[in-house]
């Protein structure tokens, strides 16, 4: 195993993953169809706004929410730095507790391992806890090809499975259905659904509960994922709200858990942070109704045969990307989906991946490789709302821009003209002498052109030298939508040096900006001319202070009677004159003052 410059062990980088991660058509094509469906948009808009309002209320109850977010990010960064050691520690602890640990490089290998384990039990059906990673590797399809029927027990997953549809949300896969549509699905696909089934949520949930209870009691094998895996103890943690997970994790004889390697946390103490972050960010609950934790197997308590399949499927390749690796910190709360303006209009099916929304736009291309998933990094407006709500502070916009750049670079077989030009400019502008020589050379070479294009307009030495509306290829890309300015006859630096060494040495004006002394060689706005001794004060609009007159404008410099005058030519206020209030704006003495309580 290789090590980094600091001596830390590095995870071997395996090939990119596969599974339900890349859309068969580009995102814009699928999004166009989704946007054209008004019912879909209405369902998504109503659901996402409800969830995000509840989340905002739940988060506002926690005074140290930002500290919790920072703690979550810190833990995840530590996991990324020490993942090889944590994986080995988890494996040893899980085996010691009675579990069997398997390693899967990709979706194909994971599906083969799970299928063989189910076959070994002699069962032809399994019950499943809601699991994103098993959807990622398309485990249900693999089991079906092997003659094994998988029953989803999460209510939303069950609705999607009965309708043979696609998931549209990480937390609420059936978010794109309304109640009437769900009732029709149950009537059509659920043989034991009551004849008088209505679209009331409680009635629909009761019908699903009765349908699934028979499966819980008769099926011998269960399959789950895990929200977290504790390295110190070899424990797995599942958070859910319906109780179906607890039934699957306790009743069957065999339990198979497929876990992505990024799900590790170092210790039980680290769960304290995530068990506060995840419920409030996902379901807007203070804590999840069901938090199941199991460690290996215990005789007479739960499944007697426990297997853990640790899955890579592109995660080690993602970890090798120093910018994109932060996507592995995701705890699947889906808060970013509920605030995304793109997701609200398209829904999740348009993404074509089991991970929709902003987090899917950065996870899916990294698991498959950007070349196999080019359109998803562009499925974002880069508004940054996803970063603001992420409980572990994943900078999703930063990763999106990084992936877009990677996609463009990967499509090139040689450096582009634009990149070569920008790198050359960077090299030139990084050195002052080099930059000034380049400007001088450009000024000389474009002098003949400037003398033609700037004819009649160049009236001052440092003024504009004209511009070009059209340039030959490859510079024509610049002038397609803008003019190309020619180098000025005199740069600012040259002008400044000339002023600093000559009689017209520049002095700062009242606003702090440099302003030259009188120089007959440069045109100047007469109103901005610096006054000589005895001339009018600098502000032509302000009256010269008079001992008996109203105080000067509050914005003017406050005179100090005991100090020397700032400039011999400037008007010196009379020490006996009234002093202006330096803080509050004071109305002009001649202006009408509003009456108290009156309208102006």
């Amino acid at each position: 195993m290789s090590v980094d410059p600091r001596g830390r062990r590095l995870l071997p980088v395996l090939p990119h993953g596969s599974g339900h991660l890349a859309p068969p058509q580009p995102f814009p094509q699928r999004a166009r169809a989704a946007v054209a469906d008004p019912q879909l948009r209405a369902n998504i808009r109503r659901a996402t706004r409800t969830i995000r309002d509840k989340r905002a209320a739940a988060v506002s109850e926690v005074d140290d929410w930002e500290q919790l977010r920072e703690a979550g990010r810190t833990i995840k960064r530590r996991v990324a730095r020490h993942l090889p050691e944590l994986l080995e520690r988890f494996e040893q602890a899980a085996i010691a507790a009675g579990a069997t640990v398997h390693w899967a490089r990709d979706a194909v290998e994971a599906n083969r391992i799970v299928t063989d384990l189910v076959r070994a039990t002699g069962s032809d059906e399994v019950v499943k806890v809601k699991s994103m990673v098993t959807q990622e590797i398309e485990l249900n399809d693999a089991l079906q090809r092997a003659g094994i029927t998988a029953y989803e027990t999460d209510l939303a997953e069950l609705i999607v499975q009965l309708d043979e549809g696609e998931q549209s949300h990480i937390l609420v896969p059936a978010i794109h259905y309304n109640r009437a549509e769900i009732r029709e699905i149950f009537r059509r696909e659920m043989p034991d659904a009551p004849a008088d089934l209505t679209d009331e949520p409680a009635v629909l949930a009761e019908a699903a509960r009765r349908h699934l209870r028979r499966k819980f009691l008769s099926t011998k094998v269960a399959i789950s994922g895990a929200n977290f895996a504790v390295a110190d103890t070899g424990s797995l943690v599942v958070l859910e709200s319906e109780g179906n997970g607890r039934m699957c994790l306790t009743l069957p004889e065999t339990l198979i858990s497929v876990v992505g390697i990024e799900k590790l946390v170092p210790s039980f103490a680290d769960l304290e942070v995530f068990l506060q972050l995840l419920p409030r960010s996902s379901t807007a609950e203070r804590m999840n109704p069901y938090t199941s934790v199991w460690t290996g197997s215990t005789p007479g308590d739960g499944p007697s045969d426990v297997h853990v399949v640790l899955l890579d499927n592109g995660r080690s390749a993602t970890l090798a990307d120093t910018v994109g690796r932060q996507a592995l910190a995701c705890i699947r709360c889906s808060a970013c989906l509920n605030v995304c303006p793109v997701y609200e209009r398209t829904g999740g099916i348009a993404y074509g991946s089991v991970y929709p929304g902003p987090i899917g736009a950065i996870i899916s291309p990294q698991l498959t490789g950007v070349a196999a998933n080019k359109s998803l990094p562009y499925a974002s407006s880069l508004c940054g709302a996803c970063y603001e709500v992420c409980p572990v502070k994943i900078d999703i916009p930063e990763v999106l821009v990084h992936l877009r750049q990677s996609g463009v670079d990967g499509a090139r077989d040689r450096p582009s003209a634009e990149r070569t030009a920008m790198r050359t400019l960077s090299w030139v502008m990084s050195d002052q002498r080099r930059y000034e020589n380049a400007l001088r050379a450009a000024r000389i070479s474009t002098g003949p052109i400037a003398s033609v294009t700037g004819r009649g307009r160049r009236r001052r030495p440092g003024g504009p030298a004209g511009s070009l509306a059209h340039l030959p290829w490859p510079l024509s890309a610049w002038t397609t939508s803008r003019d190309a300015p020619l180098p000025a006859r005199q740069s600012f630096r040259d002008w400044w040096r000339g002023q600093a060494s000559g009689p017209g040495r520049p002095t700062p004006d009242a606003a702090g900006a440099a302003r030259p002394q009188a120089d007959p060689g440069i045109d100047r706005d007469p109103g901005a001319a610096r006054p000589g001794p005895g001339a009018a004060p600098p502000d032509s609009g302000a009256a010269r202070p008079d001992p008996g007159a109203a105080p000067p404008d509050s914005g003017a410099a406050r005179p100090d009677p005991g100090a020397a005058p700032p400039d011999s030519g400037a008007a010196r206020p009379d020490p006996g004159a009234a002093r202006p209030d330096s803080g509050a704006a004071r109305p002009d003495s001649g202006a009408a003052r509003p009456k108290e309580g009156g309208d102006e």
Side-chain angles (χ1 to χ4, degrees):
M1 186 175 289
S2 57
V3 297
D4 67 3
R6 296 184 178 181
R8 292 190 296 249
R9 297 168 60 192
L10 296 176
L11 200 67
V13 179
L14 300 179
H16 288 290
S18 59
H20 189 186
L21 293 170
Q25 298 90 27
F27 174 79
Q29 184 177 343
R30 295 171 65 91
R32 194 173 298 114
V35 170
D37 186 343
Q39 184 62 57
L40 173 68
R41 294 180 59 183
N43 295 345
I44 297 290
R45 182 172 59 253
R46 185 184 310 110
T48 54
R49 294 187 177 186
T50 300
I51 297 174
R52 72 185 182 216
D53 289 345
K54 290 183 177 179
R55 175 206 164 272
V59 167
S60 66
E61 297 176 349
V62 184
D63 295 334
D64 59 346
W65 181 253
E66 288 305 315
Q67 288 80 358
L68 278 174
R69 292 179 70 204
E70 189 61 38
R73 177 167 69 171
T74 301
I75 294 171
K76 284 295 186 178
R77 284 182 173 179
R78 190 165 78 245
V79 169
R81 289 196 301 269
H82 302 285
L83 191 54
E85 294 89 342
L86 294 175
L87 286 169
E88 290 181 354
R89 195 189 310 169
F90 173 84
E91 180 186 30
Q92 294 169 4
I95 293 175
T100 303
V101 178
H102 309 264
W103 297 83
R105 286 169 291 192
D106 52 26
V108 175
E109 191 167 9
N111 288 334
R112 180 183 56 77
I113 292 172
V114 176
T115 302
D116 291 345
L117 290 173
V118 177
R119 281 175 171 165
T121 66
S123 178
D124 60 355
E125 59 183 13
V126 299
V127 289
K128 285 186 62 190
V129 186
K130 183 180 185 305
S131 165
M132 298 303 298
V133 71
T134 58
Q135 298 291 342
E136 171 191 325
I137 62 176
E138 299 178 312
L139 178 60
N140 288 8
D141 295 338
L143 293 174
Q144 186 178 18
R145 290 192 293 271
I148 302 169
T149 304
Y151 296 100
E152 297 288 350
T153 61
D154 177 82
L155 178 57
E157 294 273 12
L158 175 65
I159 294 168
V160 175
Q161 185 183 38
L162 291 175
D163 194 40
E164 299 181 353
E166 295 183 64
Q167 297 180 333
S168 187
H169 196 275
I170 292 177
L171 181 66
V172 193
I175 195 173
H176 52 296
Y177 296 104
N178 58 33
R179 293 185 298 174
E181 292 171 331
I182 295 171
R183 180 191 58 188
E184 295 306 315
I185 293 172
F186 280 11
R187 283 179 173 176
R188 185 179 70 244
E189 303 295 338
M190 192 184 292
D192 51 355
D196 58 345
L197 185 68
T198 68
D199 62 357
E200 289 298 318
V203 176
L204 294 173
E206 179 63 19
R209 187 177 296 115
R210 292 181 178 277
H211 171 74
L212 291 172
R213 189 167 297 272
R214 302 184 183 91
K215 302 300 179 185
F216 289 134
L217 297 176
S218 61
T219 307
K220 297 181 179 179
V221 181
I223 297 175
S224 79
N227 293 100
F228 306 102
V230 183
D232 280 353
T233 62
S235 305
L236 297 179
V237 184
V238 165
L239 280 67
E240 41 116 8
S241 301
E242 301 174 6
N244 63 297
R246 181 69 59 83
M247 302 282 276
C248 291
L249 298 172
T250 55
L251 292 179
E253 300 173 358
T254 300
L255 174 60
I256 305 169
S257 300
V258 184
V259 184
I261 58 175
E262 82 281 11
K263 295 294 185 181
L264 286 176
V265 295
S267 67
F268 250 101
D270 298 316
L271 289 177
E272 173 199 355
V273 174
F274 297 110
L275 294 186
Q276 296 181 71
L277 290 173
L278 182 54
R280 293 179 187 270
S281 299
S282 57
T283 55
E285 296 171 304
R286 296 185 178 92
M287 63 179 294
N288 281 90
Y290 296 91
T291 300
S292 300
V293 184
W294 70 99
T295 307
S297 61
T298 302
D301 185 8
S304 57
D305 193 13
V306 175
H307 298 266
V308 181
V309 182
L310 294 174
L311 175 70
D312 186 294
N313 203 36
R315 286 161 175 79
S316 58
T318 303
L319 187 64
D321 189 324
T322 55
V323 177
R325 66 173 57 164
Q326 56 184 307
L328 296 178
C330 177
I331 57 175
R332 308 291 191 267
C333 69
S334 69
C336 59
L337 278 68
N338 302 325
V339 299
C340 178
V342 176
Y343 178 86
E344 182 177 307
R345 286 155 180 80
T346 65
I349 296 177
Y351 291 80
S353 167
V354 69
Y355 304 113
I359 190 64
I362 64 173
I363 283 185
S364 303
Q366 293 193 91
L367 293 180
T368 62
V370 178
N373 219 332
K374 296 179 181 177
S375 63
L376 284 186
Y378 293 89
S380 170
S381 64
L382 299 179
C383 66
C386 47
Y387 172 69
E388 297 296 328
V389 300
C390 178
V392 289
K393 305 183 78 168
I394 300 173
D395 195 343
I396 294 177
E398 179 190 25
V399 181
L400 285 169
V401 173
H402 169 68
L403 294 178
R404 293 178 186 184
Q405 181 182 9
S406 301
V408 173
D409 290 344
R412 296 187 180 119
D413 55 357
R414 61 182 185 278
S416 68
E418 179 184 4
R419 170 157 295 190
T420 302
M422 290 301 171
R423 286 179 175 174
T424 303
L425 282 175
S426 175
W427 177 78
V428 171
M429 299 177 73
S430 62
D431 181 85
Q432 178 180 345
R433 184 180 299 276
R434 195 183 298 149
Y435 178 61
E436 292 179 350
N437 290 336
L439 281 181
R440 193 172 296 112
R443 196 178 304 120
I444 295 173
S445 62
T446 58
I449 303 175
S451 63
V452 176
T453 59
R455 183 178 299 169
R457 288 185 291 171
R458 183 187 294 179
R459 292 175 296 181
R460 60 184 68 181
S467 60
L468 298 178
H470 302 285
L471 287 174
W473 185 89
L475 301 178
S476 57
W478 176 270
T479 55
T480 300
S481 57
R482 63 185 76 83
D483 291 344
L486 293 170
R489 175 180 294 180
Q490 183 184 35
S491 71
F492 176 79
R493 290 176 181 273
D494 293 340
W495 171 83
W496 182 266
R497 292 194 191 97
Q499 296 301 311
S501 60
R505 183 169 56 87
T507 59
D509 62 9
R515 179 179 291 177
Q517 296 277 352
D519 187 338
I522 299 178
D523 296 340
R524 186 177 291 118
D525 184 355
R530 188 179 184 85
D539 185 358
S540 58
R544 186 173 184 176
D546 185 277
D553 184 79
S554 61
R558 188 173 182 174
D560 185 346
D567 188 290
S568 59
R572 184 175 182 178
D574 191 306
R579 299 179 67 178
D581 186 343
S582 59
R586 187 168 184 176
D588 185 84
S589 58
R593 300 180 64 178
K595 297 179 181 179
E596 186 176 357
D599 296 334
E600 273 295 305

